[in-house]
Amino acid sequence: MAFNEMLGSDGGVRAPYAGVSRWLESVNLDQLDRRRAEAELFYRRGGITFAVYGDTQGEERIIPFDIIPRILAGKEWNVLAKGLEQRVKALNLYLADIYSKQESLRAGIVPEELVWQNPAFRPEVTGVAVPHGVYVHIAGVDVVRIDENDFYVLEDNARTPSGVSYMLGGREICYRLMADLYGAHNIAPIDHYPDELFSTLCSVAPQRAGESPNVVILTPGQFNSAYYEHSFLADKMGVELVEGRDLFIRDDHVYMRTTEGPKRVDVIYRRVDDDFLDPLVFRPDSMLGVPGLFNCYAKGNVALANAIGTGAADDKAIYSHMPEIVKFFLGEEPILKNVPTWCCRKPDDLAYVLEHLSELVVKEVHGSGGYGMLVGPQADKAAIADFKNRLKANPANYIAQPTLALSSCPSFVEKGIAPRHVDLRPFVLTGANGVKIVPGGLTRVAMREGSLVVNSSQGGGTKDTWVIDL
Amino acid sequence: MLSRTADNLFWLSRYVERADYLARILEATSRLAMLPGAGDTAWASALITAGCYDAFKEIYGEPTTETAIEFLAFSDKNPSSIRRCLETARFNARAVRTALTVEMWETINGAWLELQKMNAKSFATGRSSQFTDWVKDISLRIDGSGHRTMLRNDAYWFTRLGFYIERADNTARILDVKYHILLPEASAVGGGIDYSQWAAILRSVNALTAYRWVYREELRPWLIADLLILKPELPRSLAACYGAIVTNLDSLSNAYGRHGKAQRVAQTIQTALQNTTIDGIFKIGLHEFLTKFIADNTKVGQAISDQYLA
């Protein structure tokens, strides 16, 4: 039985939800439906859309927004925030280590082959110093709640995590449509996220850039599923949104083509994957990157956020070693829990997984977006048989975890108000001056009854997340 | 600003202006085509003015009211149908939405969303005026939201340049397609059909009422040419467009501290327009004058592109 964040385990309303509970009793469903429709219009008119790859029907879709906010008490958040800070610090130290001295490998914290055989490991950046030792400037750590006090990290997204525009958009809608409920709570603000992001990016600029470095966002372009977010962040930070073709290299420096001639670029918040950044070093067929960019980066003439090669820290096989990584680099006990993980590359683990497929969640080591995964308890026989074959064919490509009972929150669905499973993606910023996290994050909600898959590409929605004074 | 951003803004405006212009042509022609004897040539002439007669003929052969409206308003096969213009405008806007104000973006995106709900029936004969009214309304809203909300900086100036370069081209083309009925000797022929043709020209540049306020006499073909070419007070005249083009190019060169070919060519065209009379133009030949103007205007567009957008 999943933990209900409003009703708790004993069925009484938990303190953080006292206001929401009262409010839910006072509003009628028509009113809620009207607000839901207004929220949808807000997204449509604003073009706040995403694209689902391989779907020709809905080229631009809106993400369903559930207007009932999710509430976290300040004291719950504080613990969570400490755990997130610890986790991201460890990620950065681990990356700095595997790209330089590799002490953690010699100490046996992480099996060497997990690093060498990891396609996201970039030997090209070994020995390349990054400003202030920061690799992961923006992390989106997925956290799930199991009960009153148990938060588990599900994934460390250290490449180019998205969703922050939905976090901010959701808050904007709540301002507009939920004034009654909003006014009755003391909610920690999140609107300064773009400012925090901007100062984080400026803090890692090459020294010669001086007081006001030229920061840009590099997007793959308007057909990318997160294009809206790229343009949103560029707009809110007041920086240029560039594509690869807007940039060129001269004398190992990056320039952008402007109406006033070339202008030097100091920091690139790139929303383009490593593979596509520089066709001279990575995929030669990439049209999205800039030939020669890697060289400028290696010479320290331009900063990239996130750094190249961060994928070596966030795949699902490394994930299982995170508790040891935290202990090794920080000498601390991990604050956030890790979900027990079977790595199918180990014969014993594989045997166990094959035996227990109907109880487990199986994921690809490098998968994301809820694609290519099996939720055992909800899969039919054919799907399980199919996965068995895939596992046997390429065991190292998979990990398995117990099916977690994700907590649920009251949500407005077609039938009325009902609990739906949620997770949380807080956005953790790391710059020269340490870690910053705006309170809360993006709550993703599985709108289908019983579903545990919250990814927007699989029909998940979002909620505003309120950290309230309590 | 990024050259690509400037390029997108420039073309965004051009496509909106073109959609607006096509809507006016459609409207004026629909009226004209209802006159006895005028229908046969009216749509062919409209398609020529819109620059897509050859493409049309290849698909449909001789134009009818239905096929011409479909092609100009909605067809996917016509890359500059009104629908395609608005879609391209929105594509450009989405590429540079950070350079647009929320108001501008929502107007363009809202129009695009409405357009998705339309189908061929929305453009059927008898309903086309509803559609053209909608298009004109959209272009007013885009123009107005830009005017009211954009910062007066390079983004704004490139947007304005796109509107005026396209508008100058459109006005010149309308005149050129109809030049034979605007020659002074044409008035000798006279008759109801000519009158309707002249009125149609004025309607297509939104100037039928304006004509009366400026000249206070009945329609004279040479005065129509005078109004559309030389009167700076008419917002769609070539003189007015060039006044605005020069002003916006000057704003750019002041802000960037650099003067270039675009400024020089535009200034030359403006000076020429200021120093000529309609009699002088008829002496050169109206068609010859317009041919040269269209070529010069294209040169200015090219110079803007070379100087800023590449």
Side-chain angles (χ1 to χ4, degrees), chain A residues 26-54:
Chain A
S26 72
V27 289
N28 63 47
L29 294 182
D30 287 348
Q31 247 179 26
L32 285 183
D33 201 44
R34 218 172 40 245
R35 296 193 204 194
R36 189 197 48 74
E38 274 180 59
E40 188 176 320
L41 194 66
F42 173 85
Y43 277 96
R44 276 265 175 245
R45 278 201 73 90
I48 306 176
T49 57
F50 71 102
V52 175
Y53 296 126

Side-chain angles (χ1 to χ4, degrees), chain B residues 62-77:
Chain B
E62 287 308 312
T64 65
T65 300
E66 285 74 24
T67 51
I69 290 180
E70 208 264 290
F71 194 71
L72 286 171
F74 195 64
S75 178
D76 242 347
K77 295 175 194 123

Side-chain angles (χ1 to χ4, degrees), chain A residues 261-401:
Chain A
K263 188 173 177 202
R264 198 177 57 203
V265 173
D266 303 308
V267 182
I268 303 177
Y269 175 21
R270 47 91 173 210
R271 297 291 296 255
V272 171
D273 294 341
D274 285 356
D275 267 343
F276 298 95
L277 274 181
D278 182 346
L280 301 181
V281 180
F282 303 116
R283 274 178 63 159
D285 59 340
S286 169
M287 305 291 284
L288 305 175
V290 192
L293 177 61
F294 182 85
N295 205 23
C296 306
Y297 171 72
K299 292 195 167 166
N301 291 336
V302 68
L304 293 178
N306 290 346
I308 293 174
T310 53
D314 76 349
D315 75 48
K316 293 175 179 76
I318 295 295
Y319 165 88
S320 61
H321 299 277
M322 276 310 287
E324 290 78 43
I325 290 176
V326 170
K327 279 180 227 163
F328 181 77
F329 286 103
L330 298 172
E332 298 169 2
E333 282 301 314
I335 299 169
L336 299 175
K337 293 184 176 148
N338 233 38
V339 185
T341 302
W342 289 275
C343 299
C344 302
R345 65 187 175 83
K346 298 183 196 163
D348 289 355
D349 285 19
L350 176 65
Y352 178 88
V353 171
L354 287 172
E355 279 294 296
H356 297 84
L357 268 183
S358 61
E359 304 156 21
L360 302 172
V361 175
V362 186
K363 298 177 184 172
E364 292 184 345
V365 169
H366 294 284
S368 69
Y371 294 101
M373 65 186 275
L374 174 85
V375 181
Q378 293 175 2
D380 56 25
K381 275 187 182 158
I384 289 183
D386 171 50
F387 245 80
K388 244 180 202 160
N389 291 332
R390 289 203 231 171
L391 274 164
K392 285 180 193 158
N394 186 8
N397 191 36
Y398 295 95
I399 57 107
Q401 295 170 334

